[in-house]
Amino acid sequence: MTDDMVRDLTAALNAADAERARLQDAFDVTTAAYQRRTRQLGQWRDMAQGLSADLRQARDDRDRAISTSQQLRVGLVAARERLAASREEAGR
């Protein structure tokens, strides 16, 4: 091997090492971003599940409130009818 060949091979090896280091850095940055996004996705999924549970609870509460309101309305109508009937009897 001549000195020129050794220099050329050394330069090629150095260039390959530099490219490998650049690619490794890019890979590390991409891996870190992927891991960050994966954690973020997990947090969003957990938040969505919590919000979904809250929404189900709110619907159940609303349905109970509607049912209670309807029962109170029926009771109020019945009380008014009884009051009107008792007033009629008192007026006789």
Side-chain angles (χ1 to χ4, degrees), residues 39-57 59:
R39 281 191 304 275
Q40 191 176 44
L41 178 62
Q43 292 169 344
W44 288 347
R45 183 187 60 240
D46 293 344
M47 186 171 52
Q49 288 172 344
L51 290 173
S52 180
D54 291 347
L55 180 58
R56 280 192 300 277
Q57 183 63 47
R59 284 185 191 143

Side-chain angles (χ1 to χ4, degrees), residues 2-86:
T2 67
D3 288 342
D4 290 339
M5 289 174 63
V6 170
R7 271 192 299 274
D8 290 345
L9 289 173
T10 301
L13 181 59
N14 289 340
D17 282 344
E19 180 65 8
R20 184 203 54 78
R22 185 189 69 74
L23 291 172
Q24 184 64 47
D25 287 346
F27 177 75
D28 291 344
V29 167
T30 303
T31 300
Y34 171 78
Q35 291 170 345
R36 204 170 34 255
R37 296 252 166 77
T38 300
R39 281 191 304 275
Q40 191 176 44
L41 178 62
Q43 292 169 344
W44 288 347
R45 183 187 60 240
D46 293 344
M47 186 171 52
Q49 288 172 344
L51 290 173
S52 180
D54 291 347
L55 180 58
R56 280 192 300 277
Q57 183 63 47
R59 284 185 191 143
D60 291 344
D61 292 347
R62 180 205 59 199
D63 291 347
R64 275 194 297 281
I66 289 170
S67 176
T68 300
S69 175
Q70 289 170 341
Q71 290 171 0
L72 290 172
R73 196 170 290 128
V74 167
L76 180 59
V77 168
R80 284 179 181 162
E81 289 173 356
R82 284 193 304 272
L83 180 60
S86 67

